[in-house]
Amino acid sequence: MTRPAASIPERVRSLAVEVTSRTGYELVDVEYRSEPGGWTLRLFIDKEGGVNLDDCRRVSEEFGAVLEVEDPIPNPFNLEVSSPGLDRPLTRDGDYVAAQGKLVRITTREPISGRRNFRGRLLSATTEPASTHLMEAGGATGDLMLVLRDDAGAEQRIPARAVERARLVYEWPAPNNGKKGRRAGSTHGQPGSGTETRR
């Protein structure tokens, strides 16, 4: 029986977490999508100080061996292992907490205050008790609430559970008297990708 495509990222994620955790990497995200060249399974990994091509190649080889044994994907696909890049996706509560003070781009599943797309600085990411306002916005007791100041200067409150997708927005360092600038945390997302065709 052909497995539904919607279940493949979840199946793959559980396998990938085992591989990345035992090899010292963090699994940031998993994508499985149809692209012009066929189906692509893409893992995004990270570690302290960022990842490079050798890191991506190592995870690709180890995870490829696991895929051969477990066989969670019924059709031919390309396996890619990459760094999360400068526009790192935010997928877990811990990602939002770490992103406080940074520029983010958020798309919600349903409109909030008449909008689904938000861009601005993430002021806070905290767990709040239920209230009438939270319930109207789609939140519940213990939900993580994101407070964002958008590009127009308005403060937006977005329950994390209402987020469809979210990413960091890279801020270019300000010029420093002609010297190359450096921003704290900018080592994340160093270029690197390992690509392998399966089957």
Side-chain angles (χ1 to χ4, degrees):
M1 178 183 292
T2 301
R3 305 183 185 94
S7 70
I8 290 175
E10 287 73 20
R11 292 172 57 83
V12 169
R13 184 182 294 275
S14 63
L15 297 172
V17 165
E18 294 179 14
V19 172
T20 54
S21 61
R22 75 167 178 250
T23 51
Y25 300 96
E26 173 194 0
L27 180 66
V28 176
D29 201 8
V30 174
E31 289 182 354
Y32 178 66
R33 56 196 299 176
S34 178
E35 297 182 342
W39 284 92
T40 297
L41 173 63
R42 187 173 289 115
L43 305 187
F44 296 93
I45 62 170
D46 206 357
K47 70 174 184 181
E48 186 69 28
V51 298
N52 57 32
L53 185 59
D54 288 338
D55 295 316
C56 294
R57 185 178 295 115
R58 177 187 178 191
V59 172
S60 179
E61 290 173 354
E62 297 212 14
F63 188 56
V66 171
L67 291 176
E68 289 289 344
V69 174
E70 299 293 337
D71 195 26
I73 301 176
N75 50 274
F77 63 94
N78 295 318
L79 171 63
E80 294 184 7
V81 178
S82 303
S83 66
L86 299 175
D87 57 345
R88 176 185 174 127
L90 309 175
T91 60
R92 298 163 296 183
D93 286 0
D95 295 338
Y96 293 115
V97 172
Q100 292 177 103
K102 298 180 180 179
L103 282 180
V104 298
R105 189 184 306 274
I106 294 174
T107 299
T108 58
R109 295 186 179 88
E110 301 293 336
I112 295 178
S113 301
R115 309 168 49 183
R116 290 186 60 231
N117 296 301
F118 302 84
R119 181 187 184 278
R121 194 162 301 279
L122 184 60
L123 302 180
S124 65
T126 56
T127 302
E128 297 185 358
S131 68
T132 301
H133 175 79
L134 294 191
M135 288 187 287
E136 289 174 352
T141 302
D143 278 351
L144 189 72
M145 178 60 67
L146 312 176
V147 179
L148 179 82
R149 178 174 293 124
D150 66 22
D151 290 342
E155 194 170 290
Q156 307 289 340
R157 296 169 63 83
I158 305 171
R161 69 181 294 182
V163 174
E164 181 176 71
R165 59 183 178 273
R167 287 186 175 273
L168 289 177
V169 176
Y170 180 65
E171 297 181 78
W172 292 98
N176 184 18
N177 296 328
K179 296 180 181 178
K180 186 175 181 181
R182 180 185 175 99
R183 182 177 64 87
S186 62
T187 54
H188 284 280
Q190 293 178 19
S193 177
T195 304
E196 182 179 354
T197 299
R198 312 298 299 178
R199 296 204 253 209

